[in-house]
Amino acid sequence: MAEMLNMKELARHMHILFITLDSLRYDAAIALFRDHQTPNFRQYCPEGWQLCHSPGSFTYAAHHAFFAGFLPTPATPGKTPRLFAAQFAGSETTGEDTLVFETADIVTGFAGMGFRTVCIGGVGFFNKQTALGSVLPALFQESYWDRSYGVTDPDATRRQFSKAVEVLDSNDQKNQQLFMFINVSAIHQPNYFYHTPVKTADTLDSHKAALRYVDSQLPLLLDAFAQQQRDTFCIICSDHGTAYGEDGYSGHRIGHPSVWEVPMASFVIKKRVHDNIV
């Protein structure tokens, strides 16, 4: 599991790929995994999803925490050492293998280590069209957003992953380490258009259908990373869930288990290319 890894060592030679599946509920993710309906995710992470608690109930809050090193917390008793952390006196979850940065956020920290930091946005908090929508992308050396990456485009994930491949292609000759972040927008409402037949309202079924769509696009991204000259450490998680009428609640930014309980997983994408021998 991720908490057992030595991030100090991994960050010396691997790319880092951080994917957030915006609004994905844990119960939806685990149900599809158990029913073998997310086969591409299963190929890379056969042990499946870990139940975690989000540090925030909506995108902006959760990602501020993520970029400060506070990823979703495993929903188990005790204190789990974190993968990354910003230096902070008295932290009880900074372990011997935690990669600690002197900077206020891990993105700037990775840049200081020589990484090329890239953000491929999805939902509105990454669209750079307003001051608020520019805060999170501004942490990165490069940030990309297009309307076709947003929540209203049914093929947003393919377009986002295609942009990621374009970035990888431009990085190939330099072999520079990458810290790439992708906020996948497809599962966030509206998602009714993923339901077959199409309905006029978002439901838990269309939420699950959106995750199946995202899974269908994973090979485009992960195969491209496998062609790089380095291995890649991948973190994939939700930032928060969303309610579809449970106990009378709808949406997120509320304190309901459907919002706080999120899936998380990590795995290494092994490079498939061979080093040139002179």
Side-chain angles (χ1 to χ4, degrees):
M1 299 301 292
E3 62 268 23
M4 299 174 62
L5 296 172
N6 186 328
M7 287 309 304
K8 294 177 182 177
E9 292 298 323
L10 293 183
R12 290 180 180 177
H13 57 88
M14 289 191 185
H15 295 310
I16 307 293
L17 173 61
F18 181 21
I19 304 169
T20 55
L21 303 178
D22 206 291
S23 303
L24 177 61
R25 293 165 52 134
Y26 174 79
D27 58 354
I30 197 66
L32 293 190
F33 182 84
R34 289 171 176 167
D35 290 343
H36 296 267
Q37 294 188 52
T38 48
N40 294 305
F41 171 73
R42 179 181 284 271
Q43 176 185 346
Y44 283 90
C45 198
E47 66 272 25
W49 297 105
Q50 181 179 24
L51 172 61
C52 292
H53 294 149
S54 175
S57 62
F58 70 110
T59 299
Y60 189 72
H63 283 81
H64 259 301
F66 292 166
F67 295 147
F70 297 97
L71 299 180
T73 304
T76 54
K79 299 184 183 299
T80 303
R82 290 183 285 142
L83 298 177
F84 316 109
Q87 182 68 45
F88 187 79
S91 171
E92 296 182 342
T93 53
T94 300
E96 293 182 359
D97 297 332
T98 302
L99 179 58
V100 180
F101 298 102
E102 297 295 330
T103 53
D105 64 273
I106 67 172
V107 183
T108 306
F110 275 113
M113 292 178 64
F115 281 70
R116 178 184 178 187
T117 62
V118 179
C119 170
I120 299 176
V123 305
F125 288 116
F126 297 94
N127 65 17
K128 301 190 290 184
Q129 295 183 340
T130 64
L132 183 60
S134 301
V135 172
L136 296 173
L139 296 173
F140 294 81
Q141 295 167 333
E142 302 170 37
S143 59
Y144 303 98
W145 188 87
D146 183 86
R147 188 171 298 276
S148 66
Y149 301 169
V151 298
T152 59
D153 193 311
D155 206 17
T157 304
R158 181 184 64 82
R159 299 178 192 278
Q160 290 181 289
F161 288 176
S162 293
K163 182 62 180 181
V165 173
E166 181 183 318
V167 171
L168 287 172
D169 288 344
S170 71
N171 197 66
D172 188 54
Q173 296 301 316
K174 294 181 292 185
N175 194 29
Q176 185 177 7
Q177 281 183 277
L178 282 171
F179 176 77
M180 181 181 287
F181 166 76
I182 307 175
N183 172 252
V184 173
S185 66
I187 301 163
H188 192 284
Q189 72 266 20
N191 54 45
Y192 63 87
F193 36 71
Y194 293 109
H195 195 280
T196 305
V198 174
K199 296 186 178 181
T200 58
D202 297 340
T203 66
L204 186 54
D205 285 341
S206 61
H207 182 98
K208 292 178 180 178
L211 178 56
R212 287 194 292 269
Y213 160 69
V214 172
D215 183 78
S216 75
Q217 302 304 306
L218 276 179
L220 173 63
L221 176 68
L222 302 187
D223 287 353
F225 268 97
Q227 297 303 317
Q228 297 302 297
Q229 298 180 51
R230 300 175 182 270
D231 294 342
T232 301
F233 180 68
C234 179
I235 304 164
I236 183 167
C237 68
S238 174
D239 53 347
H240 57 79
T242 198
Y244 290 97
E246 293 86 359
D247 300 316
Y249 290 102
S250 296
H252 39 267
R253 204 164 56 83
I254 54 176
H256 191 270
S258 61
V259 174
W260 288 112
E261 294 181 353
V262 296
M264 181 173 174
S266 63
F267 50 88
V268 173
I269 305 169
K270 303 295 291 184
K271 65 179 181 179
R272 295 177 187 160
V273 297
H274 298 286
D275 295 330
N276 292 326
I277 299 176
V278 179

